[in-house]
Amino acid sequence: MVDDLKGEDKLLQLLRGHGGETVSGSVLSGHLGVSRTAVWKWVNLLRRRGYRIESTPSRGYAFLGAPDIPLAGEVGHGLDTRVMGCRIRYLKEIDSTNRLAMDLGRGGEPEGTVVVAESQTEGKGRLGRTWVSPAGWNLYFSVLLRPPISPEGLARITLVTAVSLCRTLRAETALPVQIKWPNDLWVRGKKVGGILAEMSADMDQVRFAVVGVGINVNLPAEALPPRLRKTAISLSNAAGRTFSRVALLQALLMAMDRDYELFCREGFVPFRDQWTQLSMTSGQKVQVALPGETIQGTAVGISAQGALQVKRRDGVLHDVVSGDVSLMPEGRE
Ligand code: BTN
Protein backbone atom coordinates (compact mmCIF):
# COMPACT_ATOMS: atom_id res chain seq x y z
CA MET A 1 0.00 0.00 0.00
CA VAL A 2 2.78 2.39 1.04
CA ASP A 3 4.54 1.73 -2.27
CA ASP A 4 1.52 3.13 -4.16
CA LEU A 5 2.01 6.45 -2.38
CA LYS A 6 3.57 9.44 -4.07
CA GLY A 7 6.78 10.88 -2.65
CA GLU A 8 5.08 13.74 -0.85
CA ASP A 9 2.56 11.35 0.72
CA LYS A 10 5.39 9.14 2.00
CA LEU A 11 7.03 12.22 3.49
CA LEU A 12 3.76 13.18 5.15
CA GLN A 13 3.42 9.71 6.62
CA LEU A 14 6.95 9.87 7.98
CA LEU A 15 6.51 13.29 9.55
CA ARG A 16 3.11 12.37 10.97
CA GLY A 17 4.60 9.20 12.43
CA HIS A 18 6.89 11.40 14.54
CA GLY A 19 3.86 13.08 16.14
CA GLY A 20 5.01 16.69 15.98
CA GLU A 21 8.72 16.05 16.70
CA THR A 22 11.27 17.74 14.46
CA VAL A 23 12.96 15.34 12.03
CA SER A 24 16.13 16.43 10.26
CA GLY A 25 16.21 16.90 6.50
CA SER A 26 19.03 14.37 6.17
CA VAL A 27 17.10 11.66 8.09
CA LEU A 28 14.07 12.30 5.86
CA SER A 29 16.06 12.26 2.64
CA GLY A 30 17.85 9.07 3.78
CA HIS A 31 14.53 7.30 4.53
CA LEU A 32 12.92 8.38 1.29
CA GLY A 33 16.01 7.87 -0.89
CA VAL A 34 15.84 11.38 -2.37
CA SER A 35 17.87 14.59 -2.07
CA ARG A 36 17.22 17.18 0.64
CA THR A 37 16.10 19.56 -2.10
CA ALA A 38 13.38 17.07 -3.08
CA VAL A 39 12.27 16.88 0.57
CA TRP A 40 12.09 20.66 0.73
CA LYS A 41 10.01 20.76 -2.50
CA TRP A 42 7.59 18.17 -1.13
CA VAL A 43 7.27 20.12 2.14
CA ASN A 44 6.24 23.16 0.11
CA LEU A 45 3.80 21.10 -1.95
CA LEU A 46 2.19 19.77 1.23
CA ARG A 47 1.98 23.29 2.65
CA ARG A 48 0.19 24.43 -0.50
CA ARG A 49 -2.35 21.66 0.15
CA GLY A 50 -2.96 23.13 3.59
CA TYR A 51 -0.72 20.99 5.83
CA ARG A 52 1.01 22.85 8.62
CA ILE A 53 4.69 21.86 8.63
CA GLU A 54 7.20 23.80 10.67
CA SER A 55 10.76 24.12 9.43
CA THR A 56 13.51 25.07 11.83
CA PRO A 57 16.83 26.03 10.19
CA SER A 58 19.53 23.41 10.72
CA ARG A 59 17.11 21.20 12.74
CA GLY A 60 14.51 19.96 10.27
CA TYR A 61 10.75 19.65 9.83
CA ALA A 62 7.82 18.93 12.15
CA PHE A 63 4.21 18.02 11.35
CA LEU A 64 1.85 20.44 13.10
CA GLY A 65 -1.53 19.72 11.57
CA ALA A 66 -3.68 18.65 8.63
CA PRO A 67 -6.24 20.78 6.79
CA ASP A 68 -9.94 19.97 7.06
CA ILE A 69 -10.13 19.26 3.35
CA PRO A 70 -11.38 15.85 2.20
CA LEU A 71 -8.09 15.04 0.45
CA ALA A 72 -7.65 11.36 -0.42
CA GLY A 73 -4.80 10.97 2.08
CA GLU A 74 -6.82 12.54 4.90
CA VAL A 75 -10.02 10.58 4.34
CA GLY A 76 -8.09 7.35 3.86
CA HIS A 77 -5.98 7.91 7.01
CA GLY A 78 -7.36 5.44 9.58
CA LEU A 79 -10.45 4.64 7.49
CA ASP A 80 -11.68 1.28 8.78
CA THR A 81 -13.81 -0.12 5.94
CA ARG A 82 -14.08 -3.28 3.88
CA VAL A 83 -15.15 -1.77 0.56
CA MET A 84 -15.93 1.96 0.76
CA GLY A 85 -12.88 4.08 0.06
CA CYS A 86 -10.67 1.29 -1.31
CA ARG A 87 -9.70 4.05 -3.74
CA ILE A 88 -10.34 7.72 -3.09
CA ARG A 89 -10.14 10.38 -5.77
CA TYR A 90 -10.20 13.97 -4.59
CA LEU A 91 -10.81 16.85 -6.99
CA LYS A 92 -10.69 20.52 -6.19
CA GLU A 93 -13.40 21.19 -8.74
CA ILE A 94 -15.45 18.98 -11.03
CA ASP A 95 -18.75 19.20 -12.91
CA SER A 96 -20.33 16.37 -10.89
CA THR A 97 -18.81 13.62 -8.74
CA ASN A 98 -21.65 11.33 -9.90
CA ARG A 99 -20.71 11.94 -13.52
CA LEU A 100 -17.06 11.03 -12.90
CA ALA A 101 -17.98 7.99 -10.78
CA MET A 102 -20.28 6.74 -13.58
CA ASP A 103 -17.40 7.10 -16.06
CA LEU A 104 -15.07 5.25 -13.69
CA GLY A 105 -17.71 2.51 -13.35
CA ARG A 106 -17.76 2.07 -17.13
CA GLY A 107 -13.96 1.94 -17.11
CA GLY A 108 -13.93 -0.99 -14.63
CA GLU A 109 -12.87 0.90 -11.47
CA PRO A 110 -13.37 -1.30 -8.37
CA GLU A 111 -16.39 -1.31 -6.12
CA GLY A 112 -15.99 1.10 -3.23
CA THR A 113 -14.15 3.81 -5.18
CA VAL A 114 -15.03 7.21 -3.74
CA VAL A 115 -14.98 10.44 -5.73
CA VAL A 116 -14.98 13.50 -3.50
CA ALA A 117 -14.82 17.12 -4.61
CA GLU A 118 -14.28 20.46 -2.95
CA SER A 119 -16.79 22.03 -5.36
CA GLN A 120 -19.05 21.05 -8.26
CA THR A 121 -19.95 23.26 -11.19
CA GLU A 122 -22.88 21.07 -12.27
CA GLY A 123 -23.87 19.19 -9.12
CA LYS A 124 -26.92 17.08 -9.89
CA GLY A 125 -30.00 16.77 -7.68
CA ARG A 126 -33.04 14.57 -7.98
CA LEU A 127 -35.67 15.22 -10.68
CA GLY A 128 -33.19 17.13 -12.87
CA ARG A 129 -32.54 19.78 -10.22
CA THR A 130 -29.15 21.39 -9.57
CA TRP A 131 -27.22 20.77 -6.35
CA VAL A 132 -25.62 24.03 -5.28
CA SER A 133 -21.99 23.06 -4.51
CA PRO A 134 -19.71 25.93 -3.45
CA ALA A 135 -16.13 25.28 -2.27
CA GLY A 136 -14.89 25.31 1.29
CA TRP A 137 -17.86 24.28 3.41
CA ASN A 138 -19.63 21.11 2.44
CA LEU A 139 -19.29 17.48 1.43
CA TYR A 140 -19.94 16.25 -2.12
CA PHE A 141 -19.03 12.63 -2.78
CA SER A 142 -20.04 9.62 -4.85
CA VAL A 143 -19.44 5.95 -4.18
CA LEU A 144 -19.18 3.36 -6.94
CA LEU A 145 -20.95 0.08 -6.13
CA ARG A 146 -21.43 -3.20 -7.93
CA PRO A 147 -24.40 -4.62 -6.03
CA PRO A 148 -25.84 -8.05 -6.89
CA ILE A 149 -29.35 -6.69 -7.50
CA SER A 150 -31.91 -6.11 -10.23
CA PRO A 151 -32.56 -2.51 -11.37
CA GLU A 152 -35.61 -2.09 -9.04
CA GLY A 153 -33.24 -2.64 -6.10
CA LEU A 154 -31.55 0.72 -6.62
CA ALA A 155 -34.33 2.54 -4.75
CA ARG A 156 -33.65 0.33 -1.74
CA ILE A 157 -29.94 1.17 -1.83
CA THR A 158 -30.94 4.83 -1.63
CA LEU A 159 -33.13 4.11 1.41
CA VAL A 160 -30.36 2.12 3.13
CA THR A 161 -27.92 4.96 2.44
CA ALA A 162 -30.38 7.43 3.95
CA VAL A 163 -30.51 5.29 7.11
CA SER A 164 -26.68 5.10 7.31
CA LEU A 165 -26.28 8.85 6.81
CA CYS A 166 -29.09 9.87 9.14
CA ARG A 167 -27.92 7.65 12.00
CA THR A 168 -24.30 8.79 11.60
CA LEU A 169 -25.15 12.49 11.41
CA ARG A 170 -27.25 12.16 14.55
CA ALA A 171 -24.37 10.46 16.37
CA GLU A 172 -21.74 12.94 15.15
CA THR A 173 -23.71 16.16 15.59
CA ALA A 174 -26.39 15.35 18.21
CA LEU A 175 -28.87 17.06 15.87
CA PRO A 176 -32.36 15.58 15.33
CA VAL A 177 -31.66 14.67 11.68
CA GLN A 178 -34.54 12.91 9.92
CA ILE A 179 -35.17 11.23 6.59
CA LYS A 180 -37.71 12.70 4.19
CA TRP A 181 -38.73 10.07 1.68
CA PRO A 182 -37.03 9.01 -0.45
CA ASN A 183 -33.60 10.59 -0.22
CA ASP A 184 -33.57 13.82 1.74
CA LEU A 185 -31.99 14.53 5.10
CA TRP A 186 -33.75 17.21 7.07
CA VAL A 187 -33.13 18.93 10.35
CA ARG A 188 -35.70 21.14 12.10
CA GLY A 189 -37.88 21.48 9.01
CA LYS A 190 -35.09 22.27 6.51
CA LYS A 191 -33.07 20.19 4.09
CA VAL A 192 -29.46 19.53 5.09
CA GLY A 193 -28.50 16.84 2.57
CA GLY A 194 -29.59 14.62 -0.29
CA ILE A 195 -28.76 11.41 -2.12
CA LEU A 196 -28.77 10.81 -5.85
CA ALA A 197 -28.36 7.20 -7.00
CA GLU A 198 -27.72 6.39 -10.64
CA MET A 199 -26.93 3.12 -12.37
CA SER A 200 -25.92 1.30 -15.48
CA ALA A 201 -27.99 -1.86 -15.88
CA ASP A 202 -29.36 -4.38 -18.31
CA MET A 203 -32.89 -5.83 -18.05
CA ASP A 204 -32.35 -7.88 -14.92
CA GLN A 205 -28.98 -7.01 -13.46
CA VAL A 206 -27.29 -3.83 -12.25
CA ARG A 207 -23.82 -3.54 -13.78
CA PHE A 208 -22.83 -0.80 -11.40
CA ALA A 209 -24.44 1.94 -9.34
CA VAL A 210 -23.26 5.30 -8.11
CA VAL A 211 -24.58 6.72 -4.85
CA GLY A 212 -23.94 10.46 -4.67
CA VAL A 213 -24.25 12.37 -1.42
CA GLY A 214 -24.33 16.11 -0.79
CA ILE A 215 -24.35 17.47 2.76
CA ASN A 216 -24.34 21.09 3.83
CA VAL A 217 -21.79 20.91 6.63
CA ASN A 218 -20.37 24.32 7.56
CA LEU A 219 -22.08 26.52 4.98
CA PRO A 220 -23.04 29.88 6.53
CA ALA A 221 -26.69 30.88 5.93
CA GLU A 222 -25.60 33.96 3.97
CA ALA A 223 -23.65 31.76 1.52
CA LEU A 224 -26.88 30.00 0.48
CA PRO A 225 -28.63 31.40 -2.60
CA PRO A 226 -31.58 33.53 -1.31
CA ARG A 227 -34.15 31.23 -2.97
CA LEU A 228 -32.93 28.32 -0.79
CA ARG A 229 -32.72 30.11 2.56
CA LYS A 230 -36.25 29.14 3.64
CA THR A 231 -35.85 25.49 2.81
CA ALA A 232 -32.15 24.60 3.27
CA ILE A 233 -29.78 24.65 6.23
CA SER A 234 -26.32 23.40 7.16
CA LEU A 235 -25.30 21.25 10.12
CA SER A 236 -23.27 24.15 11.54
CA ASN A 237 -26.21 26.53 11.25
CA ALA A 238 -28.45 24.10 13.04
CA ALA A 239 -25.94 23.19 15.76
CA GLY A 240 -24.23 26.55 16.28
CA ARG A 241 -20.77 25.03 15.81
CA THR A 242 -18.66 23.77 12.92
CA PHE A 243 -17.76 20.16 12.13
CA SER A 244 -14.69 18.47 10.66
CA ARG A 245 -15.57 17.45 7.12
CA VAL A 246 -12.85 14.81 7.07
CA ALA A 247 -14.06 13.19 10.31
CA LEU A 248 -17.67 13.32 9.12
CA LEU A 249 -16.86 11.75 5.77
CA GLN A 250 -14.90 8.97 7.45
CA ALA A 251 -17.77 8.23 9.83
CA LEU A 252 -20.28 8.26 6.95
CA LEU A 253 -18.18 5.90 4.82
CA MET A 254 -17.70 3.51 7.72
CA ALA A 255 -21.46 3.37 8.37
CA MET A 256 -22.25 3.00 4.66
CA ASP A 257 -19.68 0.20 4.42
CA ARG A 258 -21.24 -1.87 7.23
CA ASP A 259 -24.80 -1.25 6.06
CA TYR A 260 -24.02 -2.03 2.43
CA GLU A 261 -22.54 -5.37 3.43
CA LEU A 262 -25.67 -6.23 5.42
CA PHE A 263 -27.89 -5.06 2.56
CA CYS A 264 -26.04 -7.33 0.08
CA ARG A 265 -26.53 -10.30 2.43
CA GLU A 266 -30.07 -9.71 3.72
CA GLY A 267 -31.69 -7.00 1.60
CA PHE A 268 -33.80 -4.09 2.88
CA VAL A 269 -35.64 -6.01 5.64
CA PRO A 270 -33.07 -5.30 8.46
CA PHE A 271 -33.37 -1.57 7.70
CA ARG A 272 -37.14 -1.24 7.44
CA ASP A 273 -37.87 -0.46 11.11
CA GLN A 274 -34.89 1.91 11.41
CA TRP A 275 -36.06 3.74 8.31
CA THR A 276 -39.58 4.15 9.74
CA GLN A 277 -38.20 5.43 13.07
CA LEU A 278 -35.94 7.97 11.37
CA SER A 279 -38.51 9.16 8.83
CA MET A 280 -40.07 12.55 9.45
CA THR A 281 -43.27 11.52 7.67
CA SER A 282 -44.06 8.39 9.71
CA GLY A 283 -47.61 8.74 11.03
CA GLN A 284 -47.94 12.25 9.53
CA LYS A 285 -50.47 13.69 7.09
CA VAL A 286 -48.73 14.09 3.76
CA GLN A 287 -49.34 15.25 0.26
CA VAL A 288 -47.62 13.43 -2.61
CA ALA A 289 -47.21 15.12 -5.98
CA LEU A 290 -47.23 12.39 -8.63
CA PRO A 291 -47.00 12.96 -12.36
CA GLY A 292 -50.52 14.20 -13.22
CA GLU A 293 -52.14 13.88 -9.76
CA THR A 294 -51.69 14.71 -6.10
CA ILE A 295 -52.71 12.34 -3.33
CA GLN A 296 -53.23 13.12 0.33
CA GLY A 297 -53.26 10.78 3.30
CA THR A 298 -51.25 9.46 6.23
CA ALA A 299 -47.75 8.08 5.69
CA VAL A 300 -47.96 4.73 7.46
CA GLY A 301 -44.55 3.26 6.65
CA ILE A 302 -42.37 1.76 3.96
CA SER A 303 -43.02 -1.45 2.02
CA ALA A 304 -40.47 -4.28 1.83
CA GLN A 305 -39.73 -3.02 -1.70
CA GLY A 306 -39.05 0.52 -0.45
CA ALA A 307 -42.28 2.24 -1.53
CA LEU A 308 -43.74 4.91 0.77
CA GLN A 309 -47.10 3.63 2.01
CA VAL A 310 -49.74 6.33 2.15
CA LYS A 311 -53.23 5.57 3.49
CA ARG A 312 -55.88 7.82 1.99
CA ARG A 313 -58.89 9.00 4.01
CA ASP A 314 -61.06 6.41 2.22
CA GLY A 315 -58.73 3.70 3.58
CA VAL A 316 -57.06 2.88 0.26
CA LEU A 317 -53.34 2.17 0.67
CA HIS A 318 -51.05 3.65 -1.99
CA ASP A 319 -47.52 2.41 -2.60
CA VAL A 320 -45.67 5.52 -3.78
CA VAL A 321 -42.51 4.67 -5.74
CA SER A 322 -41.63 8.15 -7.00
CA GLY A 323 -42.82 11.69 -6.44
CA ASP A 324 -42.40 14.63 -4.11
CA VAL A 325 -43.71 14.29 -0.58
CA SER A 326 -44.59 17.22 1.67
CA LEU A 327 -46.05 17.39 5.14
CA MET A 328 -49.59 18.81 5.22
CA PRO A 329 -49.97 22.01 7.22
CA GLU A 330 -51.35 21.23 10.73
CA GLY A 331 -55.04 20.44 10.83
CA ARG A 332 -55.48 20.11 7.05
CA GLU A 333 -56.18 16.97 5.11
C1 BTN B 1 -31.19 15.66 -4.06
O1 BTN B 1 -31.57 15.81 -2.90
O2 BTN B 1 -31.80 16.18 -5.00
C2 BTN B 1 -29.95 14.84 -4.33
C3 BTN B 1 -28.70 15.66 -4.21
C4 BTN B 1 -27.43 14.87 -4.45
C5 BTN B 1 -26.21 15.77 -4.55
C6 BTN B 1 -24.92 15.00 -4.60
S1 BTN B 1 -23.51 16.04 -4.39
C7 BTN B 1 -22.46 14.72 -4.82
C8 BTN B 1 -23.12 13.94 -5.92
N1 BTN B 1 -22.76 14.50 -7.22
C9 BTN B 1 -23.81 15.06 -7.82
O3 BTN B 1 -23.76 15.62 -8.93
N2 BTN B 1 -24.90 14.94 -7.08
C10 BTN B 1 -24.63 14.21 -5.85
Side-chain angles (χ1 to χ4, degrees), residues 26-333:
S26 59
V27 166
L28 293 170
S29 69
H31 263 289
L32 297 166
V34 295
S35 67
R36 291 177 65 170
T37 314
V39 169
W40 174 77
K41 280 189 182 154
W42 286 340
V43 165
N44 284 327
L45 182 74
L46 291 169
R47 282 180 176 153
R48 283 199 296 279
R49 285 187 194 159
Y51 289 94
R52 288 188 297 119
I53 298 171
E54 184 184 59
S55 58
T56 317
S58 72
R59 286 197 59 224
Y61 303 99
F63 174 83
L64 297 185
D68 187 37
I69 298 173
L71 301 165
E74 287 309 299
V75 178
H77 185 73
L79 185 70
D80 182 13
T81 54
R82 197 183 54 94
V83 172
M84 309 283 171
C86 63
R87 277 191 198 168
I88 303 174
R89 291 172 179 258
Y90 167 82
L91 297 112
K92 210 165 172 189
E93 184 180 280
I94 192 168
D95 50 356
S96 152
T97 57
N98 266 33
R99 200 273 307 145
L100 177 58
M102 288 295 285
D103 282 355
L104 293 173
R106 272 178 223 108
E109 192 93 348
E111 172 164 78
T113 296
V114 172
V115 179
V116 53
E118 184 63 57
S119 67
Q120 299 183 115
T121 53
E122 289 169 47
K124 296 193 275 182
R126 211 164 66 96
L127 305 171
R129 295 176 187 137
T130 309
W131 189 257
V132 177
S133 314
W137 313 105
N138 297 332
L139 281 173
Y140 318 109
F141 66 98
S142 301
V143 183
L144 173 65
L145 301 174
R146 299 188 182 277
I149 54 166
S150 59
E152 311 83 69
L154 187 71
R156 294 190 284 281
I157 289 201
T158 309
L159 298 172
V160 170
T161 305
V163 169
S164 315
L165 301 181
C166 187
R167 242 187 18 229
T168 308
L169 292 178
R170 281 177 168 223
E172 296 291 315
T173 66
L175 286 167
V177 183
Q178 289 184 301
I179 300 170
K180 179 166 170 287
W181 186 90
N183 62 347
D184 286 1
L185 296 164
W186 282 50
V187 63
R188 301 201 184 109
K190 291 185 176 182
K191 182 161 168 167
V192 77
I195 303 161
L196 178 68
E198 300 184 69
M199 67 178 161
S200 161
D202 53 34
M203 286 291 280
D204 42 30
Q205 177 72 37
V206 168
R207 270 183 234 112
F208 63 87
V210 163
V211 178
V213 178
I215 298 173
N216 295 335
V217 181
N218 294 321
L219 190 77
E222 58 281 8
L224 267 172
R227 70 188 157 84
L228 294 180
R229 286 186 197 160
K230 278 211 177 98
T231 52
I233 195 167
S234 65
L235 296 170
S236 69
N237 256 182
R241 67 184 179 99
T242 57
F243 298 95
S244 156
R245 290 186 295 164
V246 171
L248 264 187
L249 180 51
Q250 288 180 321
L252 295 171
L253 290 175
M254 288 197 256
M256 286 170 71
D257 189 73
R258 279 191 296 275
D259 290 341
Y260 178 64
E261 191 190 4
L262 180 58
F263 172 79
C264 289
R265 268 191 289 121
E266 296 182 29
F268 181 60
V269 175
F271 299 94
R272 201 170 160 187
D273 285 351
Q274 288 184 67
W275 191 94
T276 306
Q277 278 159 22
L278 295 171
S279 164
M280 64 186 268
T281 53
S282 295
Q284 302 292 314
K285 303 260 183 335
V286 294
Q287 178 163 299
V288 189
L290 302 169
E293 68 165 327
T294 298
I295 60 167
Q296 294 179 349
T298 304
V300 290
I302 191 101
S303 75
Q305 282 68 41
L308 183 73
Q309 297 177 309
V310 178
K311 194 172 192 174
R312 282 194 338 209
R313 252 213 321 225
D314 59 11
V316 174
L317 200 60
H318 268 269
D319 271 4
V320 179
V321 290
S322 74
D324 250 350
V325 177
S326 47
L327 286 177
M328 299 277 290
E330 293 272 322
R332 279 191 49 205
E333 195 185 343

